[in-house]
Amino acid sequence: MTVENQFIFLDDARNISLIIKREDLIHPFVSGNKFRKLKYNLLQAKAENKTTLLTFGGAFSNHIAAVAFAAKDNNFQSIGIIRGDEIGDKIVENPTLSFAQQNGMQFKFVTRGAYREKEDTHFIENLKKEFGDFYLIPEGGTNALAVKGCEEILTEADAHFDFICCAVGTGGTISGIINSALPNQKVLCFPALKGDFLKNEIRSFAPNSNWEIIQDYHFGGYGKVNEVLIAFINGFFEKYQIPLDPIYTGKMVFGVMDLIGKDYFPENSKILMVHTGGLQGIEGMNIYLRNKKLPIININV
């Protein structure tokens, strides 16, 4: 497992340093926060003598791809409940689902309406009748064991940072970071989704108050991108040779650098950005961008 803190730049005028933690380098297929979230869930599944993992996700879900590979690598069967019954016959056109299928994942495609019931007891019981016994991993992987894994992202070597910045999806990764951050460190959360609902989700796992949600950099909501973000991601890669995904980390890094330009951070601040991986989704995003006649994300991953 390889993780490194990579220097980005120093604002000499205000003595602000910016570093990125390369969690995306942990594993080629189960990278970043997915590795952290699955670590203790896989151990628990083995302790319970489960042979099958079942989880949920969308057509280009990082979580679906990671669970499929991790399941195969740890001798589990895997089942993915996929949002959108209209894509059931389009697996070959979808790099994420193709990868998951190649790693042995069995799919069940459900309507968006049915998918919204995924946490209902009746829905889960019907899945057990259909597939038999399984170990359930929530959408995005967030549960108490996932948070425990994400608490290991920060180490003693990160104690000197004043600000810890991370993208937020379901809230598990940022909760782990909040729990392990020191009292004098401020955790900045950059949601990939619109809305204020994440506060309660984070509070359910992280009782500390040393965090703030920055809501200005979701670019319209989950999965939404524009030419400004694409140009930023491409320019960042050209300058630093660090690939960013457009759903999570790309938006967070854009936000942090924009806030530096707006003097959000005090002088002498030491800022750590956490790269949570998600790079497998770039290929699918580029399919969408080409169809929309938009510039593509031009990086090597």
Side-chain angles (χ1 to χ4, degrees), residues 69-87:
F69 186 92
K72 181 180 179 181
D73 201 41
N74 289 272
N75 300 312
F76 291 103
Q77 301 296 314
S78 63
I79 300 166
I81 310 303
I82 308 299
R83 181 180 64 248
D85 57 337
E86 75 281 358
I87 60 176

Side-chain angles (χ1 to χ4, degrees), residues 22-23 44 46 77 128 154 161 247 252 264 272:
R22 298 293 306 277
E23 288 279 301
Q44 183 63 30
K46 290 179 181 179
Q77 301 296 314
K128 289 181 179 179
L154 296 182
F161 288 105
I247 308 299
M252 180 270 295
Y264 173 90
L272 179 68

Side-chain angles (χ1 to χ4, degrees), residues 154 164 176-187 208 210:
L154 296 182
I164 314 294
I177 290 172
I178 291 167
N179 289 342
S180 58
L182 298 175
N184 61 300
Q185 293 178 315
K186 182 72 172 288
V187 179
N208 298 334
N210 58 331

Side-chain angles (χ1 to χ4, degrees), residues 125-283:
E125 288 302 317
N126 283 338
L127 290 176
K128 289 181 179 179
K129 291 177 183 177
E130 181 173 356
F131 295 110
D133 191 29
F134 53 76
Y135 183 85
L136 178 66
I137 301 176
E139 180 183 35
T142 291
N143 57 18
L145 290 173
V147 173
K148 178 181 177 181
C150 291
E151 289 172 358
E152 298 175 356
I153 291 174
L154 296 182
T155 69
E156 291 182 2
D158 302 318
H160 66 287
F161 288 105
D162 304 299
F163 293 90
I164 314 294
C165 305
C166 187
V168 184
T170 53
T173 303
I174 202 71
S175 295
I177 290 172
I178 291 167
N179 289 342
S180 58
L182 298 175
N184 61 300
Q185 293 178 315
K186 182 72 172 288
V187 179
L188 301 182
C189 320
F190 291 78
L193 302 84
K194 287 194 295 186
D196 205 29
F197 60 93
L198 276 169
K199 286 185 178 180
N200 290 335
E201 184 70 15
I202 294 171
R203 288 188 182 118
S204 69
F205 291 112
N208 298 334
S209 59
N210 58 331
W211 55 278
E212 177 184 351
I213 293 180
I214 308 293
Q215 299 184 359
D216 301 327
Y217 299 100
H218 52 65
F219 283 83
Y222 184 77
K224 304 292 186 182
V225 300
N226 60 24
E227 294 187 32
V228 172
L229 180 63
I230 296 167
F232 173 80
I233 290 172
N234 289 338
F236 191 86
F237 180 77
E238 183 177 351
K239 186 171 184 178
Y240 300 108
Q241 294 299 296
I242 300 174
L244 303 175
D245 83 285
I247 308 299
Y248 295 103
T249 303
K251 295 180 178 181
M252 180 270 295
V253 174
F254 181 98
V256 171
M257 297 186 78
D258 188 58
L259 290 175
I260 291 173
K262 294 177 177 177
D263 293 339
Y264 173 90
F265 298 99
E267 290 186 5
N268 306 314
S269 292
K270 298 178 178 62
I271 307 166
L272 179 68
M273 305 184 294
V274 179
H275 193 319
T276 54
L279 300 175
Q280 71 83 29
I282 291 175
E283 187 177 355

